[in-house]
Amino acid sequence: MTDEHTLGKSFTLNDGNSIPLVGLGTSRILPNETISVITTAIDIGYRHFDTSEFYKNTTQLGDGLRQVLLSGKVNRDELFITAKLAPCYEAFGDIETSLKEFLTLLQLEYVDLCLLHFPIQFKKGAKKCNDHTKLGEYINGICDHVQLWKEMEDVVGKGLAVSIGVSNYNQEQIQNIRQICKIPPAVLQTECHAFLQVKDLVQFCQDEGIFITAFAPFGSPGLSNYKPCYKECGILKDDVVLDLVRLYDRTPAQILLRHLTQRGIGVIPKSSNAVRLAENINIFDFSLTDDDMEMITKLDKMGRIFSFPL
């Protein structure tokens, strides 16, 4: 059933910070397009931008954010910046060091949300890898989540991040953090879409007051163009989705995003196209019925696209 809070455009986290339900995922946006995409997205109404140390466009993202701030189109407190730290943590203090380096690239004094990108540890050289690198060769093993979380709490205390959370963590790993934390995780970012609805994980997080943000809400179409080992999952062409497209006169993307937000899940779709950018954020003037939601729920295949050694 649709919850009232999902009909707004933002959600209040467990620490009181407010996160926009729809953000722009910046993975695989070409560096030479990034500044233009950020400017266009701001003009359309985006205020939430998601990035990672692993992305190849962070310098250009910083330039784009700087330009829109200097132009006066938005103030810093109107933006919500999510930064995922690459898990290259080999010594105490690496979290603060990594975040400060990231903030320098973004040309910001703080981020609104800092996430641990993976629950595994990579060697330092992984940050310099390219699309052809086999990341498995850089894995050191599972991180010390307890120690890392204490360092995450420290960056909040130092004003480098407002909220903190995790990405690609499972329920057990989140529980381990919650047992020792002074500041609980505010957000879990995870793969979630119609073919992978992770219902148990979503229910656990919502019961614990942890907000879920879904990456790859469309099943990451086009990913195979960058990495042939990934296969298209076809959510955007599913018959159930297309029936709802005709019923509501919406795009497949809008139907899928509306389904997620009505579950109380935030979304960070990626696009460089101005038309699709506008479509992806304009999903709050219609609602799916309970029957519609149930039809999409039945599409769940537990079909994970991104596999990580968790």
Side-chain angles (χ1 to χ4, degrees):
M1 180 174 293
T2 302
D3 293 323
E4 287 298 323
H5 74 263
T6 66
L7 300 180
K9 296 183 180 181
S10 63
F11 181 85
T12 302
L13 301 175
N14 59 22
D15 58 8
N17 198 16
S18 182
I19 184 172
L21 278 174
V22 180
L24 178 62
T26 61
S27 172
R28 303 197 315 278
I29 295 179
L30 296 176
N32 62 356
E33 296 179 353
T34 302
I35 294 176
S36 175
V37 170
I38 296 305
T39 302
T40 300
I42 287 288
D43 290 340
I44 289 170
Y46 284 83
R47 296 297 182 264
H48 180 188
F49 297 91
D50 177 272
T51 185
S52 167
E53 286 186 294
F54 271 139
Y55 300 167
K56 308 304 179 185
N57 54 15
T58 50
T59 298
Q60 293 78 13
L61 174 60
D63 290 340
L65 293 174
R66 182 67 174 167
Q67 283 190 20
V68 297
L69 288 169
L70 288 175
S71 73
K73 290 183 177 182
V74 292
N75 298 320
R76 175 63 184 92
D77 59 6
E78 297 177 85
L79 296 177
F80 191 100
I81 308 301
T82 296
K84 299 189 289 284
L85 295 183
C88 304
Y89 321 121
E90 297 180 340
F92 180 81
D94 279 352
I95 293 290
E96 181 179 347
T97 299
S98 292
L99 182 51
K100 284 182 175 179
E101 291 173 351
F102 205 172
L103 287 169
T104 298
L105 290 176
L106 295 175
Q107 302 178 54
L108 298 173
E109 295 181 356
Y110 69 93
V111 293
D112 301 271
L113 175 63
C114 181
L115 303 177
L116 295 172
H117 201 161
F118 301 99
I120 53 179
Q121 183 187 82
F122 289 134
K123 300 174 185 177
K124 295 282 188 181
K127 290 186 182 182
K128 299 179 181 179
C129 68
N130 56 45
D131 290 338
H132 303 292
T133 302
K134 294 181 180 180
L135 287 177
E137 297 176 1
Y138 284 87
I139 293 175
N140 269 355
I142 298 295
C143 297
D144 181 346
H145 301 139
V146 171
Q147 179 57 50
L148 285 178
W149 194 254
K150 291 178 181 178
E151 294 190 44
M152 291 287 281
E153 293 173 331
D154 286 344
V155 300
V156 174
K158 294 179 180 180
L160 302 177
V162 180
S163 299
I164 50 177
V166 294
S167 178
N168 297 302
Y169 276 53
N170 61 33
Q171 181 173 330
E172 180 181 355
Q173 292 160 344
I174 295 170
Q175 285 175 321
N176 289 340
I177 290 173
R178 284 187 58 81
Q179 289 173 359
I180 57 87
C181 67
K182 295 178 180 177
I183 303 174
V187 172
L188 166 66
Q189 187 177 121
T190 190
E191 180 184 348
C192 185
H193 45 74
F195 287 177
L196 180 69
Q197 299 186 28
V198 288
K199 297 168 191 172
D200 290 343
L201 182 59
V202 169
Q203 188 64 58
F204 163 76
C205 286
Q206 291 179 340
D207 288 346
E208 297 294 332
I210 300 170
F211 183 66
I212 295 267
T213 297
F215 71 78
F218 311 139
S220 202
L223 181 63
S224 59
N225 293 333
Y226 297 85
K227 296 187 177 182
C229 60
Y230 291 104
K231 296 181 180 180
E232 299 291 331
C233 67
I235 301 173
L236 294 168
K237 299 177 182 179
D238 186 89
D239 288 341
V240 169
V241 175
L242 294 179
D243 284 343
L244 293 172
V245 165
R246 289 185 284 269
L247 177 63
Y248 289 98
D249 191 24
R250 298 285 173 158
T251 68
Q254 288 174 316
I255 296 297
L256 293 169
L257 294 175
R258 194 69 185 118
H259 171 253
L260 286 166
T261 58
Q262 284 188 211
R263 293 180 65 198
I265 297 171
V267 291
I268 47 170
K270 173 263 173 186
S271 181
S272 301
N273 179 282
V275 173
R276 288 194 289 271
L277 283 168
E279 290 172 346
N280 290 348
I281 202 170
N282 289 317
I283 60 170
F284 297 104
D285 58 350
F286 79 105
S287 297
L288 300 174
T289 67
D290 290 347
D291 288 342
D292 299 333
M293 294 289 288
E294 181 61 24
M295 286 193 297
I296 299 178
T297 296
K298 291 179 180 178
L299 296 179
D300 193 6
K301 301 178 180 179
M302 293 184 285
R304 186 174 298 279
I305 296 170
F306 298 90
S307 295
F308 306 109
L310 304 181

